[in-house]
Amino acid sequence: METRQGNVAVEMTVNGEPMVGIAEPRTLLSDFLRHGLGMTGTHVGCEQGVCGACTVLIDGQPARSCLTFAVQAEGCRVDTVEGMAEGGALSDVQEAFRAEHGLQCGFCTPGFLAATEALLAENPDPTDDEIRDYLSGNICRCTGYQGIIAAVRRAAQTRKAASA
Amino acid sequence: MKPAQFDYLRPGSLAEAIEALGANPDSKVLAGGQSLIPMMNMRLARPSALVDIGRIDGLAGISANGSLRVGATTRQAEVLADATVQRRWPLITAALRHVGHPATRARGTFGGSIAHAEPAAELPAAMLALDAAFTVHRPGGTRTVAATDFFLGHYTTVLAEDELLGHVDVPALGGSHWAFAEVARRHGDYALTGVAVRLTPDADGVVTDARVALFAVSSRPVRSAAAERLLVGTRVGDAEAATAAGKVALDDIEVAEDSFVSATYRTEATAAIVRRALLEAATNPKGEN
Ligand SMILES: Cc1cc2nc3c(=O)[nH]c(=O)nc-3n(C[C@@H](O)[C@H](O)[C@H](O)COP(=O)(O)OP(=O)(O)OC[C@H]3O[C@@H](n4cnc5c(N)ncnc54)[C@H](O)[C@@H]3O)c2cc1C
Ligand code: FES
Ligand code: FES
């Protein structure tokens, strides 16, 4: 049986790179990323699972990093907003959010981007209803959501065109 | 807020997990963490140790022969996406659509939702309507508990501190009518009231056996004996019977009142959705055998 007490080294692959940081068992993945690894792109809003700002991908699946202990993600692949832009160029999803005004203050955006990546991986051509349903766990206090829905639609189209 | 300190144990087998629970008083099982971690973040729970069952081989998985078996640590998202479950146990699929959001379902487990016994949770009521049976692992062996005997009250089940829910067995649904309905403030929120219905018809469409399982009305999911009694002998889809069953559904059940809604609201909304579910049951495509 593996046992962790006090400070221990935790290893995971973040945005494709093997990383090691120090965590207590109680360290949330959100805090591990932000404080342990200095990757502050993942935002923390409510810390109780309600707002979705902290959403990241764990082994390709969407997860609230505030409802996951870092030790639970040991050995897993974690993808955050920092891994999206390549060489300074926005990813297709990021570009679509920019083009459609899918953000204003940007606090919720890393979570929406991660959720959108998960949605498009599962359903490359979602209807508006499916987009709304999928993103229902993410809260935005600025945009009124219309721009976000349009951005996801645009990202889906861009991706479809690129793969055609 | 942040959780209090605890020791983290990751057993590799069921036997190790049971031993760890027994050896650490005040420890708790960690499955998907989607209910336990919020409670720990708010310090409503302060276990001294967590036993993470997420990596135990054989505790996750879906298999279907005559009946359906779902391992406790199977993610809710996986059950929701499962084609066999959709085809043969559509009541489970319908219930899961209301459980949280994609990101909570990707981590949250089927068994965790049952063991947590939140009175407003969807899956426990679906399990009551389907006559599910739960296999519980304990020191020295296992025991099987019927869904009807499992839930005791708010966040309380028959599970002892050193016991683990291992898997769930659900009998075939084929041939029965079913429906699921709830009232929630927003999709994905916990329900304010809800119902899972299963009706077994004879060759003439007359109900021979009925399950009306209510949730979010009381301290635990409950079957409405009054509504079930009333429905036997009526025709599936009979509007008068549906209205009458809705009216009596909460007879003999102590209706909860909370900061969201009054007991009166709950009683009236429950009557309305029981009626709606009973009418829908007549037209929902039946599960295949
Ligand atoms: C924003 C949000 C919205 C949600 N909305 C809903 C909703 O609408 N409906 C709903 O039903 N749920 C909802 N949930 C809760 C749901 O997501 C949880 O997944 C579920 O309640 C618990 O499952 P888990 O695997 O996450 O368990 P955990 O959080 O890991 O555990 C919950 C409890 O069950 C115990 N436990 C877990 N597995 C076992 C086992 N195999 N044997 C013994 N004990 C065990 C744990 O010790 C703990 O006490 C929501 C959660 C969030 C964060
Ligand atoms: S910070 Fe994790 S859901 Fe709000
Ligand atoms: S852009 Fe400000 S919260 Fe969404």
Side-chain angles (χ1 to χ4, degrees):
Chain A
M1 175 150 28
E2 295 198 40
T3 306
R4 301 278 189 282
Q5 289 168 305
N7 282 322
V8 289
V10 175
E11 245 185 273
M12 61 186 74
T13 303
V14 183
N15 299 324
E17 300 213 13
M19 303 248 185
V20 187
I22 301 295
E24 287 181 85
R26 64 169 168 167
T27 306
L28 299 167
L29 178 59
S30 44
D31 288 335
F32 180 76
L33 291 168
R34 291 175 57 83
H35 307 309
L37 302 180
M39 300 174 67
T40 53
T42 298
H43 291 169
V44 175
C46 65
E47 224 161 51
Q48 45 181 283
V50 180
C51 74
C54 67
T55 307
V56 298
L57 301 179
I58 302 180
D59 290 336
Q61 300 298 316
R64 282 151 158 48
S65 57
C66 77
L67 296 190
T68 310
F69 294 116
V71 285
Q72 284 179 284
E74 208 167 20
C76 294
R77 205 176 81 230
V78 175
D79 290 298
T80 69
V81 67
E82 282 94 342
M84 290 184 181
E86 267 182 65
L90 296 182
S91 73
D92 52 359
V93 174
Q94 287 174 313
E95 179 54 38
F97 269 69
R98 194 197 62 75
E100 297 288 352
H101 302 282
L103 67 151
Q104 288 176 30
C105 78
F107 192 84
C108 67
T109 313
F112 271 99
L113 294 173
T116 302
E117 287 290 354
L119 166 63
L120 295 181
E122 193 181 306
N123 179 358
D125 196 11
T127 63
D128 280 12
D129 276 355
E130 285 167 342
I131 296 172
R132 281 171 205 279
D133 185 48
Y134 202 93
L135 298 180
S136 66
N138 291 69
I139 292 174
C140 173
R141 306 194 76 169
C142 301
T143 62
Y145 300 99
Q146 304 304 327
I148 294 175
I149 311 292
V152 178
R153 215 184 299 130
R154 176 189 283 252
Q157 283 159 0
T158 316
R159 217 168 260 196
K160 212 163 60 182
S163 69
Chain B
M1 280 189 26
K2 312 290 180 192
Q5 285 180 330
F6 60 87
D7 293 341
Y8 174 80
L9 311 172
R10 191 191 289 147
S13 68
L14 264 171
E16 274 186 10
I18 301 291
E19 198 187 303
L21 287 169
N24 292 276
D26 200 25
S27 60
K28 265 195 165 300
V29 172
L30 174 64
Q34 301 303 289
S35 290
L36 184 54
I37 300 179
M39 290 173 71
M40 291 175 66
N41 285 355
M42 292 184 268
R43 303 250 172 144
L44 296 172
R46 304 178 67 136
S48 61
L50 287 187
V51 178
D52 183 355
I53 59 171
R55 297 192 192 193
I56 296 176
D57 272 347
L59 211 50
I62 302 171
S63 60
N65 297 313
S67 61
L68 171 71
R69 176 166 292 187
V70 183
T73 56
T74 314
R75 307 285 182 188
Q76 292 152 10
E78 195 186 325
V79 184
L80 181 59
D82 189 87
T84 306
V85 174
Q86 289 169 6
R87 205 175 67 244
R88 296 182 55 196
W89 288 273
L91 173 53
I92 294 178
T93 311
L96 274 169
R97 280 205 191 99
H98 293 275
V99 178
H101 309 283
T104 65
R105 292 194 293 258
R107 309 244 358 124
T109 65
F110 198 83
S113 174
I114 292 165
H116 188 53
E118 151 73 49
E122 288 83 1
L123 279 184
M127 295 299 104
L128 286 185
L130 290 168
D131 291 343
F134 304 148
T135 296
V136 174
H137 295 266
R138 59 198 313 214
T142 61
R143 63 179 177 131
T144 304
V145 185
T148 35
D149 300 327
F150 187 77
F151 303 100
L152 300 180
H154 284 110
Y155 310 110
T156 318
T157 68
V158 299
L159 287 178
E161 305 232 307
D162 57 354
E163 288 184 323
L164 248 180
L165 176 59
H167 62 258
V168 173
D169 286 303
V170 185
L173 173 63
S176 294
H177 295 275
W178 65 274
F180 187 90
E182 74 172 48
V183 178
R185 288 186 304 164
R186 291 174 311 180
H187 185 83
D189 282 5
Y190 278 111
L192 300 173
T193 173
V195 64
V197 168
R198 177 165 67 93
L199 304 173
T200 311
D202 66 11
D204 301 320
V206 173
V207 177
T208 57
D209 199 18
R211 297 284 179 278
V212 177
L214 303 168
F215 58 101
V217 295
S218 168
S219 64
R220 62 193 177 98
V222 277
R223 279 172 51 186
S224 168
E228 292 181 359
R229 241 189 339 262
L230 189 145
L231 288 164
V232 172
T234 67
R235 275 188 173 283
V236 176
D238 182 299
E240 255 172 54
T243 306
K247 283 209 179 107
V248 302
L250 286 170
D251 287 5
D252 314 320
I253 294 171
E254 197 180 322
V255 181
E257 191 149 34
D258 54 35
S259 53
F260 299 123
V261 292
S262 65
T264 312
Y265 174 93
R266 244 191 194 107
T267 307
E268 290 180 8
T270 304
I273 57 162
V274 167
R275 175 174 193 277
R276 189 192 307 162
L278 287 168
L279 295 178
E280 269 179 32
T283 51
N284 274 341
K286 285 196 248 178
E288 287 172 26
N289 267 313

